[in-house]
Amino acid sequence: NAPRLPGRPPGSDDGWRTVARWEQLAVGTPLQAHVIGAEVDAWNVSPDRRLGTVWLLRGGDGPETLRALSAVCPHLGCLIDHTERGFVCPCHNSDFSARGAALRGPSPRSMDPIEARVRDGRVEVRWARFRLGGAERIREEG
Ligand code: FES
């Protein structure tokens, strides 16, 4: 259960954001998508900011094969790219497998999973940030 966003009545935003359509995803070819939504802190609501970037992976026919990974490198936060050799972080050359497992380089852990689902053909994710630079995956609030 994600914490409620501050400043909003309960139930008004459960955090799910549409990032793509299911038919845009090809099996075995990751798709990069930006997560757009209102950014809320204790005082302000800033509509339609880029909250983050994800890689969407489709493993097969059904929506249950959908996975999403944060494109934020767990090392120091650069954007992870995808090449023919898999996921790579260009900043300090961390390599990740096709499923996001850390293989080589300074990244202290594998790519961070992001909650994802398909609703009426829409791919939705619940964006989350995780603490950089440590082996333990710790979710950051806000
Ligand atoms: Fe990705 Fe350093 S920020 S390897």
PDB file of all heavy atoms in Angstrom, residues 73 75-78 89 91-94 106, ligand 1:
ATOM      1  N   CYS A  73      19.651   4.794 -12.309  1.00  0.00           N
ATOM      2  CA  CYS A  73      20.724   3.877 -11.906  1.00  0.00           C
ATOM      3  C   CYS A  73      20.880   3.891 -10.387  1.00  0.00           C
ATOM      4  O   CYS A  73      20.998   4.968  -9.783  1.00  0.00           O
ATOM      5  CB  CYS A  73      22.033   4.278 -12.570  1.00  0.00           C
ATOM      6  SG  CYS A  73      23.416   3.206 -12.121  1.00  0.00           S
ATOM      7  N   HIS A  75      23.350   3.371  -8.670  1.00  0.00           N
ATOM      8  CA  HIS A  75      24.651   3.874  -8.216  1.00  0.00           C
ATOM      9  C   HIS A  75      24.528   5.342  -7.829  1.00  0.00           C
ATOM     10  O   HIS A  75      24.473   5.672  -6.651  1.00  0.00           O
ATOM     11  CB  HIS A  75      25.703   3.647  -9.324  1.00  0.00           C
ATOM     12  CG  HIS A  75      27.065   4.135  -8.961  1.00  0.00           C
ATOM     13  ND1 HIS A  75      27.872   4.804  -9.850  1.00  0.00           N
ATOM     14  CD2 HIS A  75      27.756   4.059  -7.799  1.00  0.00           C
ATOM     15  CE1 HIS A  75      29.021   5.103  -9.247  1.00  0.00           C
ATOM     16  NE2 HIS A  75      28.965   4.658  -8.013  1.00  0.00           N
ATOM     17  N   LEU A  76      24.419   6.233  -8.830  1.00  0.00           N
ATOM     18  CA  LEU A  76      24.338   7.660  -8.518  1.00  0.00           C
ATOM     19  C   LEU A  76      23.213   8.361  -9.277  1.00  0.00           C
ATOM     20  O   LEU A  76      23.190   9.592  -9.339  1.00  0.00           O
ATOM     21  CB  LEU A  76      25.678   8.352  -8.820  1.00  0.00           C
ATOM     22  CG  LEU A  76      26.850   7.961  -7.906  1.00  0.00           C
ATOM     23  CD1 LEU A  76      28.154   8.606  -8.371  1.00  0.00           C
ATOM     24  CD2 LEU A  76      26.569   8.336  -6.452  1.00  0.00           C
ATOM     25  N   GLY A  77      22.328   7.591  -9.888  1.00  0.00           N
ATOM     26  CA  GLY A  77      21.110   8.200 -10.411  1.00  0.00           C
ATOM     27  C   GLY A  77      21.104   8.593 -11.873  1.00  0.00           C
ATOM     28  O   GLY A  77      20.163   9.241 -12.324  1.00  0.00           O
ATOM     29  N   CYS A  78      22.103   8.216 -12.644  1.00  0.00           N
ATOM     30  CA  CYS A  78      22.053   8.492 -14.088  1.00  0.00           C
ATOM     31  C   CYS A  78      20.943   7.663 -14.733  1.00  0.00           C
ATOM     32  O   CYS A  78      20.454   6.698 -14.151  1.00  0.00           O
ATOM     33  CB  CYS A  78      23.378   8.136 -14.747  1.00  0.00           C
ATOM     34  SG  CYS A  78      24.688   9.317 -14.412  1.00  0.00           S
ATOM     35  N   CYS A  89      24.469   1.561 -17.851  1.00  0.00           N
ATOM     36  CA  CYS A  89      24.485   2.936 -17.371  1.00  0.00           C
ATOM     37  C   CYS A  89      25.732   3.614 -17.931  1.00  0.00           C
ATOM     38  O   CYS A  89      26.851   3.166 -17.660  1.00  0.00           O
ATOM     39  CB  CYS A  89      24.496   2.996 -15.849  1.00  0.00           C
ATOM     40  SG  CYS A  89      24.540   4.708 -15.287  1.00  0.00           S
ATOM     41  N   CYS A  91      27.138   6.401 -17.266  1.00  0.00           N
ATOM     42  CA  CYS A  91      27.956   7.280 -16.418  1.00  0.00           C
ATOM     43  C   CYS A  91      29.222   6.603 -15.909  1.00  0.00           C
ATOM     44  O   CYS A  91      30.309   7.160 -15.993  1.00  0.00           O
ATOM     45  CB  CYS A  91      27.126   7.801 -15.255  1.00  0.00           C
ATOM     46  SG  CYS A  91      25.959   9.057 -15.786  1.00  0.00           S
ATOM     47  N   HIS A  92      29.082   5.390 -15.348  1.00  0.00           N
ATOM     48  CA  HIS A  92      30.266   4.701 -14.812  1.00  0.00           C
ATOM     49  C   HIS A  92      30.279   3.242 -15.249  1.00  0.00           C
ATOM     50  O   HIS A  92      30.851   2.393 -14.574  1.00  0.00           O
ATOM     51  CB  HIS A  92      30.302   4.809 -13.280  1.00  0.00           C
ATOM     52  CG  HIS A  92      30.027   6.182 -12.769  1.00  0.00           C
ATOM     53  ND1 HIS A  92      28.801   6.586 -12.323  1.00  0.00           N
ATOM     54  CD2 HIS A  92      30.825   7.269 -12.708  1.00  0.00           C
ATOM     55  CE1 HIS A  92      28.845   7.861 -11.971  1.00  0.00           C
ATOM     56  NE2 HIS A  92      30.055   8.305 -12.194  1.00  0.00           N
ATOM     57  N   ASN A  93      29.602   2.979 -16.383  1.00  0.00           N
ATOM     58  CA  ASN A  93      29.658   1.654 -17.010  1.00  0.00           C
ATOM     59  C   ASN A  93      29.170   0.517 -16.117  1.00  0.00           C
ATOM     60  O   ASN A  93      29.870  -0.474 -15.931  1.00  0.00           O
ATOM     61  CB  ASN A  93      31.068   1.342 -17.500  1.00  0.00           C
ATOM     62  CG  ASN A  93      31.481   2.274 -18.614  1.00  0.00           C
ATOM     63  OD1 ASN A  93      30.673   2.560 -19.504  1.00  0.00           O
ATOM     64  ND2 ASN A  93      32.687   2.785 -18.538  1.00  0.00           N
ATOM     65  N   SER A  94      27.983   0.663 -15.571  1.00  0.00           N
ATOM     66  CA  SER A  94      27.366  -0.502 -14.938  1.00  0.00           C
ATOM     67  C   SER A  94      26.573  -1.248 -15.998  1.00  0.00           C
ATOM     68  O   SER A  94      25.860  -0.641 -16.800  1.00  0.00           O
ATOM     69  CB  SER A  94      26.434  -0.068 -13.805  1.00  0.00           C
ATOM     70  OG  SER A  94      27.163   0.230 -12.641  1.00  0.00           O
ATOM     71  N   PRO A 106      29.881  -0.388 -10.938  1.00  0.00           N
ATOM     72  CA  PRO A 106      29.738   0.071  -9.550  1.00  0.00           C
ATOM     73  C   PRO A 106      28.304   0.053  -9.004  1.00  0.00           C
ATOM     74  O   PRO A 106      28.127   0.333  -7.817  1.00  0.00           O
ATOM     75  CB  PRO A 106      30.251   1.513  -9.624  1.00  0.00           C
ATOM     76  CG  PRO A 106      30.010   1.940 -11.029  1.00  0.00           C
ATOM     77  CD  PRO A 106      30.162   0.708 -11.872  1.00  0.00           C
TER      78      PRO A 106
HETATM   79 FE1  FES B   1      25.134   4.498 -13.108  1.00  0.00          FE
HETATM   80 FE2  FES B   1      27.283   5.376 -11.831  1.00  0.00          FE
HETATM   81  S1  FES B   1      25.376   6.359 -12.041  1.00  0.00           S
HETATM   82  S2  FES B   1      27.057   3.544 -12.945  1.00  0.00           S
END
